[in-house]
Structures are given as C-alpha cells and as structure tokens.
Amino acid sequence: MKSHDPIRSERRLLEALRAAETATLALRDYAATVLPPGPPAAGGPSIGEAAAAGGLLEGGWLAVTLEAVLPRRGDSDRSRFLAHSLRAAIRRAFPDRLPPKFHICVLAYEHIYGPGRRFLDHDNLELKHCQDVLEAAFLTNDTSALCSAFQCSHRGERNATRIWVLPAEAFPKWLESHRESWAGPPET
C-alpha cells in the first residue's frame, strides 16, 4: 500500500507549474516571432496612431499605450508578458520599416488610475522589462546613460500606462503641454 506524501506532491505540482509557465512564455515569444503582424489583442499595447500611419506624433514624440497600470516590482510573470506584448505592438506599428531611432531620449511614464483604483508609489512599479524593450527598439544605443525616465500619476477614466518616447530636448515642452499629467492635486 502506497502512502501519500503531501510535501512531495506539492513539490511536484510546483515544478509542473514552473515548467508550464516557462513553456507558455517560450510559446508567446515564438508566436510573436513567426506570426504575421495582425490587429492587437483586446487590451494589448498600442503605439500612437500617427506612428502606425507612418509618422511620429507631433514634435517627434511617440506614445505607447498599455491598457493597464504597470505591475508591481517582483511580479516578473506579468512584466515579461508585457515585454512580449510590447515587442509585438512595435512590429505591428512598423511592419514595413524600422522604428524611428533616438540618440538621447526621455521615457515619460504616465500612470493613469481609473476611478476607485489606489495609487501606487512609483518605486513599487516594475519598469525594467518595458524600458529594456523600448530602449532596444527606439534608441541607437540602448545604454541607460542615453535614456532618462520620468514618472507621473493621475486619475483617468480607466487604468492605463502611456509611455512617451521623447527626444531629450523635447522633454520641457512635453512637461508644459501635459501639465495635467503631473501637476494634479495630490490624491492617494
């Protein structure tokens, strides 16, 4: 008669879950590499319409919109999924040509919180995976010395994150024209 070892069963279950998650990420990466560009999945990242139509947004700015607030630090599975989705969105936005390249830029992270959603401290949000993808896609050299990051949070109609890719010299103008994104009333 076999005895049931709950600790061994739990360990096997966790190993199976890790293997399944690893396989899922590999499959997503493979699919994003070989499938032809198509419409974004509902809620997936999108690149500003002017960029998809063949040009940059006014002033040489590029906006990437995620239909979610970025995940908390330590939530590596969601972060990796967003990175894969971002790569696919970039390929969809620039199917017939290379994305624009910036020598020095600022990534302005605009965290938009829907009604009732609690604001998170900026130091608790995971930027690394998204920033790595954006630097690789839009910078001539993806060293962090050439890319600064700015974060702001405000209320909106629904949760989202808009990441602006700006030439460094355009950042003061962006701050001026998007004052509602960073100078709103303090709210938690």
Side-chain angles (χ1 to χ4, degrees):
M1 177 172 200
K2 283 188 172 181
S3 68
H4 177 70
D5 182 357
I7 294 175
R8 187 172 179 193
S9 295
E10 184 177 315
R11 191 175 308 131
R12 286 163 121 181
L13 178 59
L14 289 173
E15 288 171 5
L17 284 170
R18 276 190 212 104
E21 294 216 6
T22 301
T24 299
L25 289 172
L27 182 60
R28 284 183 185 140
D29 195 33
Y30 176 71
T33 303
V34 300
L35 292 176
S46 62
I47 310 277
E49 288 180 19
L56 291 176
L57 298 174
E58 180 182 335
W61 306 351
L62 186 69
V64 178
T65 303
L66 306 168
E67 298 298 326
V69 174
L70 290 178
R72 288 180 174 269
R73 284 187 196 270
D75 191 354
S76 62
D77 289 336
R78 275 192 66 206
S79 298
R80 280 189 298 232
F81 174 73
L82 279 176
H84 291 290
S85 298
L86 264 178
R87 283 187 198 95
I90 292 166
R91 282 192 293 275
R92 279 193 307 274
F94 302 98
D96 302 326
R97 62 186 178 96
L98 293 174
K101 294 290 187 178
F102 298 85
H103 178 63
I104 299 174
C105 77
V106 174
L107 296 178
Y109 291 85
E110 183 184 353
H111 306 289
I112 305 165
Y113 292 87
R117 174 75 192 254
R118 191 173 65 84
F119 281 60
L120 298 174
D121 292 341
H122 290 157
D123 63 342
N124 290 333
L125 296 170
E126 180 58 65
L127 305 180
K128 182 182 176 358
H129 290 87
C130 289
Q131 188 152 330
D132 286 348
V133 170
L134 295 170
E135 287 176 351
F138 299 113
L139 279 175
T140 55
N141 181 332
D142 68 352
T143 180
S144 61
L146 300 176
C147 184
S148 297
F150 172 80
Q151 295 186 67
C152 57
S153 297
H154 64 90
R155 282 275 172 223
E157 292 179 19
R158 63 182 190 276
N159 293 331
T161 301
R162 188 167 301 116
I163 307 167
W164 297 86
V165 184
L166 312 163
E169 63 276 4
F171 183 58
K173 185 175 180 181
W174 182 89
L175 282 171
E176 184 180 309
S177 64
H178 289 80
R179 189 169 188 79
E180 74 284 353
S181 297
W182 59 270
E187 186 178 350
T188 57

